[in-house]
């Protein structure tokens, strides 16, 4: 993997210690604050949130000698965690594994994989990173037509074993898709992609950030398949945002990164990687154990309510938290890292704090939407494919993967549940405001049971539509819908785990990790980083930036965190420089046919 700057394995424990530090303290509101510790004590940091951003910040800080306490209202791992299906375990077996949505760690990520390599895992030379496995294929599952099956070539990949019937279906789907998107439309899409590839940063940040992907592609004038695959399919299903609203900068930057990844340029690994165990087993639990060994303390079940801003000193004086018993306490530390999702973090910023740094107020303009997972447990392994399936025609924009086949170190029926389930079909629901095919209601209007039945019906419509019964009702063991969703079927449904989306202009409202408050820093997938997307990679990179800002503020001699940017092809830099001149002259990109 390419690296820039100093390796983060090179650090001196305790290098961040400073004179006059105050250890993290917790006192009930109205009580006398804890007294200062001796001058040689390491500086303390309260990390607010225990998701990927919070755990990354804690990891980097602990390695540099800081005293870290993580406050998490629910469970470590945040939206990345897996969870147990209640009352599903029998005998010595584990509970069935569930999750907010399936994990996807593509080769365009560099910062997150670096962290994973530094988390020990028994028998793995490269820590939990060695728990990543690469599906060899993906598909666009069409409704009423053959599914388009796409191999994901990469050194070491073993091609899927195909029967003659599967080869026939694959070729039929390829020809049907090629015929359904007219040649001139395909050529236009390619041209638009080349325009973006050769666009300078200024054009991307200004013109393309303010242009919806739908308009950039002229999708309104194109065929149905052009719209569903090239416009909608690459936004709603992957980025969980609407093509009509999504920033071209965001969507096309992602496509650019994946294109280079497929070519082996600037890649940490294959295009598609998932974990070979449920997320907590493969990653989150070992991470928490490692952080504990580094001295990190965790306060699980503690909810952050408000940050107290001291206008006299211009600093955060304390954080008001609510402990598991509902008692409000005042938490004090030398430094504070807010690592909560933006919709939760901004509730804790009062007017005085927002006035102290206007970028906090701009975060109110950031938008979130629903992208939530549901798992179906099967008593028979369905013959789908060895990878992700994008149900391109489904009203609720479903994507899915069979997980147990990628968990070779676990025997699903022997290790989980009641022994009857042999696989877990994990599905992400990206569209919650469009009527379904079974009840004619949106997902938010359905009850939890109706959501499960509707998703199952849409999956069958995508997979059972060309003469094969891939998904059988008789094989459905049970299902589990993310508990963060509540009030479905009522006038006021809620979702505790929404996803940041990227309508035009979002880029200009994303805050920096360093704030104007000297002891306050931001980490999360909404913070401005090189990857303009709500991802675990973005959360990880933002936490590294927050730690670097904290090190700068304290004058620490500790090595700074490496923050790896997205790959930039050197062959295109000359064309981008030429485009920068044209942009400043008010001219189109040289390849732009309009």
């Amino acid at each position: 993997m390419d690296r820039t700057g100093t390796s983060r394995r090179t650090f001196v424990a305790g290098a961040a210690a400073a004179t006059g530090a105050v250890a993290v303290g917790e006192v009930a509101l109205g009580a006398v604050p804890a007294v200062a510790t001796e001058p040689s004590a390491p500086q303390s940091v309260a990390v607010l949130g225990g998701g990927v951003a919070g755990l990354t910040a804690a990891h980097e800080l602990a390695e540099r000698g800081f005293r870290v306490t993580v406050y998490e209202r629910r469970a470590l791992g945040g939206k990345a965690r897996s969870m147990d299906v209640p009352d599903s375990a029998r005998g010595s077996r584990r509970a069935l594994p569930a999750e907010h949505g399936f994990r996807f760690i593509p080769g365009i990520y560099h910062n997150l994989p670096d962290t994973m390599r530094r988390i020990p895992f028994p028998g793995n030379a490269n820590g939990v990173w060695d728990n990543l496995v690469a599906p060899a294929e993906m598909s666009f599952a069409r409704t009423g037509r053959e599914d388009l099956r796409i191999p994901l070539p990469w050194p070491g990949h073993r091609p899927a074993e195909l029967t003659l019937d599967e080869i026939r279906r694959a070729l039929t789907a390829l020809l049907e898709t090629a015929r359904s998107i007219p040649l001139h439309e395909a050529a236009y899409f390619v041209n638009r992609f080349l325009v973006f590839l050769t666009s300078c940063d200024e054009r991307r940040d200004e013109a393309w950030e303010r242009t919806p992907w739908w308009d950039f592609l002229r999708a309104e004038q194109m065929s149905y398949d052009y719209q569903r695959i090239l416009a909608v399919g690459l936004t709603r299903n992957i980025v969980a945002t609407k093509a009509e609203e999504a920033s071209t900068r965001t969507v096309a930057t992602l496509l650019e990164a994946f294109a280079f990844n497929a070519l082996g340029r600037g890649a940490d690994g294959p295009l598609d990687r998932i974990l070979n165990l449920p997320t907590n087993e493969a990653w989150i639990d070992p991470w928490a154990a490692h952080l504990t060994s580094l001295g990190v303390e965790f306060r699980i079940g503690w909810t952050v309510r408000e940050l107290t801003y001291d206008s006299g000193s211009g600093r955060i004086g304390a954080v008001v938290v609510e402990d598991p018993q509902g008692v409000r306490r005042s938490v004090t530390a030398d430094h504070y890292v807010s690592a909560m999702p933006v919709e939760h973090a901004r509730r804790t910023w009062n007017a005085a704090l927002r006035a102290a740094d206007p970028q906090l107020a701009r975060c109110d303009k950031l938008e979130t939407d629903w992208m939530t997972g549901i798992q179906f447990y099967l008593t028979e392994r369905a013959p789908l494919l060895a990878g992700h399936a994008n149900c391109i025609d489904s009203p609720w924009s479903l994507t899915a993967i069979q997980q147990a086949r990628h968990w070779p170190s676990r025997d699903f029926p022997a290790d989980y549940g009641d022994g009857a389930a042999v696989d877990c079909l994990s599905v992400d629901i990206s569209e919650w405001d469009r009527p379904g095919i079974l009840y004619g209601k949106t997902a938010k209007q359905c009850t939890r049971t109706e959501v499960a039945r509707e998703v199952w019906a849409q999956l069958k419509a995508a997979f059972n539509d060309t003469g094969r019964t891939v998904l059988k009702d008789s094989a459905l063991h049970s299902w589990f819908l993310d508990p963060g969703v509540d009030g479905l079927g009522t006038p006021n449904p809620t979702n505790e785990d929404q996803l940041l989306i990227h309508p035009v202009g979002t880029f200009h409202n994303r805050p920096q990790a360093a704030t104007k408050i000297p002891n306050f820093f931001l980490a999360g997938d909404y913070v401005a980083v090189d990857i303009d997307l709500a991802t675990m990679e973005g959360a990880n990179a933002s936490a590294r930036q927050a730690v670097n800002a904290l090190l700068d503020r304290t004058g620490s001699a500790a090595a700074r965190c490496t923050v790896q940017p997205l790959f930039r092809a050197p062959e295109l830099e000359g064309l981008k420089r030429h485009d920068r001149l044209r942009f400043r002259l008010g001219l189109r990109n040289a390849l732009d046919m309009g």
Side-chain angles (χ1 to χ4, degrees):
M1 182 178 85
D2 297 332
R3 292 185 181 273
T4 58
T6 306
S7 168
R8 278 193 327 293
R9 287 188 181 276
T10 306
F11 64 91
V12 179
T19 303
V22 179
V24 173
E26 299 157 9
V27 296
L29 288 185
V32 178
V35 297
T37 60
E38 66 276 9
S40 60
Q43 293 195 36
S44 59
V45 184
V47 176
L48 313 177
V52 171
L55 295 178
T56 300
H59 194 157
E60 301 295 347
L61 288 164
E63 285 188 341
R64 289 160 176 80
F66 287 84
R67 181 184 171 191
V68 182
T69 303
V70 176
Y71 295 87
E72 166 56 42
R73 68 187 175 91
R74 188 172 51 188
L76 295 180
K79 290 191 287 287
R81 78 192 189 286
S82 57
M83 62 195 86
D84 293 342
V85 176
D87 304 319
S88 64
R90 297 291 184 274
S92 61
R93 297 185 184 89
R94 303 164 183 256
L96 288 171
E99 58 197 353
H100 167 72
F102 55 71
R103 303 274 61 78
F104 172 47
I105 305 174
I108 66 173
Y109 291 3
H110 283 274
N111 298 293
L112 185 69
D114 175 73
T115 296
M116 298 177 82
R117 287 183 175 94
R118 293 156 49 214
I119 303 170
F121 192 89
N124 288 359
N126 297 299
V128 302
W129 184 85
D130 283 340
N131 290 336
L132 294 175
V133 294
E137 59 184 336
M138 65 163 290
S139 79
F140 286 117
R142 306 306 305 269
T143 298
R145 292 156 59 176
E146 291 289 354
D147 299 341
L148 181 60
R149 191 166 172 174
I150 304 169
L152 300 175
W154 195 263
H157 267 192
R158 178 182 176 183
E161 296 180 2
L162 299 175
T163 64
L164 286 177
D165 183 59
E166 288 173 322
I167 293 173
R168 176 186 64 79
R169 292 177 181 276
L171 291 175
T172 299
L174 181 62
L175 292 174
E176 282 183 348
T177 303
R179 185 172 64 249
S180 64
I181 300 179
L183 183 60
H184 72 276
E185 292 185 1
Y188 184 76
F189 177 83
V190 170
N191 172 260
R192 300 310 284 166
F193 188 50
L194 294 177
V195 166
F196 187 83
L197 284 179
T198 57
S199 289
C200 64
D201 292 340
E202 291 175 41
R203 193 184 299 276
R204 293 183 180 199
D205 295 349
E206 297 301 327
W208 300 146
E209 172 61 23
R210 302 187 188 282
T211 303
W213 178 242
W214 185 267
D215 295 347
F216 182 77
L217 296 182
R218 288 193 176 178
E220 190 66 36
Q221 305 170 29
M222 303 298 186
S223 63
Y224 171 82
D225 273 17
Y226 182 99
Q227 294 174 351
R228 292 302 302 174
I229 296 175
L230 301 178
V232 175
L234 297 176
T235 52
R236 181 46 103 172
N237 292 66
I238 297 175
V239 193
T241 191
K242 296 179 174 64
E244 296 85 351
E245 303 172 1
S247 154
T248 291
R249 181 191 189 278
T250 296
V251 178
T253 296
L254 178 69
L255 292 181
E256 177 184 42
F258 275 112
F260 287 134
N261 190 173
L263 295 172
R265 304 293 303 279
D268 180 81
L271 279 164
D272 188 359
R273 296 179 297 188
I274 62 173
L275 293 164
N276 64 359
L277 288 167
T279 308
N280 276 27
E281 292 184 50
W283 175 23
I284 302 301
D285 290 346
W287 200 2
H290 180 58
L291 295 185
T292 299
S293 75
L294 294 177
V296 175
E297 296 185 9
F298 294 104
R299 299 286 187 269
I300 310 300
W302 294 61
T303 302
V304 178
R305 295 300 183 189
E306 185 180 6
L307 287 94
T308 303
Y309 177 67
D310 183 348
S311 57
S313 65
R315 300 168 65 86
I316 300 295
V319 176
V320 177
V321 297
E322 190 173 291
D323 71 16
Q325 288 71 46
V327 177
R328 291 208 169 194
R329 299 175 175 271
S330 180
V331 171
T332 59
D334 295 312
H335 309 281
Y336 304 85
V337 177
S338 178
M340 297 178 287
V342 66
E343 67 273 21
H344 298 298
R346 59 194 177 197
R347 297 172 190 163
T348 68
W349 304 336
N350 58 32
L353 189 61
R354 291 165 182 262
D357 190 345
Q359 70 169 346
L360 299 178
R362 288 200 301 273
C363 288
D364 290 338
K365 298 180 180 179
L366 298 177
E367 298 181 29
T368 58
D369 202 352
W370 291 33
M371 186 175 186
T372 303
I374 183 172
Q375 288 77 51
F376 295 96
Y377 304 95
L378 310 177
T379 58
E380 297 178 22
R381 181 159 291 178
L384 296 179
L385 77 157
H388 288 97
N390 187 330
C391 301
I392 200 73
D393 301 307
S394 60
W396 289 2
S397 294
L398 307 178
T399 48
I401 187 168
Q402 285 176 274
Q403 292 189 313
R405 69 185 303 167
H406 300 288
W407 295 343
S409 59
R410 284 274 181 260
D411 184 331
F412 202 88
D415 291 336
Y416 300 101
D418 60 4
V422 302
D423 206 349
C424 171
L425 181 60
S426 188
V427 185
D428 278 351
I429 308 169
S430 296
E431 174 58 77
W432 286 77
D433 295 303
R434 182 180 298 174
I437 63 175
L438 194 60
Y439 299 105
K441 298 191 292 187
T442 70
K444 292 177 182 176
Q445 294 170 336
C446 291
T447 64
R448 298 179 73 85
T449 298
E450 288 173 340
V451 166
R453 290 173 177 169
E454 178 70 55
V455 171
W456 185 250
Q458 291 186 31
L459 290 171
K460 289 194 296 181
F463 294 117
N464 293 358
D465 56 336
T466 52
R468 293 188 302 170
T469 303
V470 177
L471 295 178
K472 302 176 182 176
D473 291 337
S474 60
L476 181 56
H477 174 276
S478 56
W479 55 268
F480 182 83
L481 178 62
D482 183 359
V485 174
D486 195 17
L488 291 177
T490 73
N492 299 299
T494 60
N495 188 342
E496 285 291 300
D497 298 298
Q498 297 193 41
L499 186 72
L500 181 74
I501 58 173
H502 301 77
V504 293
T506 297
F507 169 76
H508 299 288
N509 293 319
R510 292 169 69 111
Q512 299 297 314
T515 74
K516 292 185 178 181
I517 296 92
N519 65 338
F520 183 51
F521 309 89
L522 303 179
D525 59 14
Y526 66 98
V527 176
V529 292
D530 197 55
I531 185 167
D532 184 23
L533 191 67
T535 60
M536 295 184 295
E537 173 78 348
N540 183 277
S542 70
R544 291 165 181 249
Q545 291 183 171
V547 171
N548 285 346
L550 189 155
L551 296 175
D552 290 343
R553 291 267 174 86
T554 60
S556 172
R560 285 357 185 212
C561 306
T562 300
V563 183
Q564 180 82 359
L566 288 172
F567 175 74
R568 294 177 69 107
E571 302 92 331
L572 298 177
E573 292 305 311
L575 294 171
K576 291 179 181 179
R577 287 193 295 270
H578 175 69
D579 186 61
R580 183 167 62 247
L581 176 61
R582 293 181 63 88
F583 180 75
R584 291 176 178 177
L585 292 173
L587 301 174
R588 288 180 175 179
N589 179 281
L591 301 179
D592 194 344
M593 299 183 301

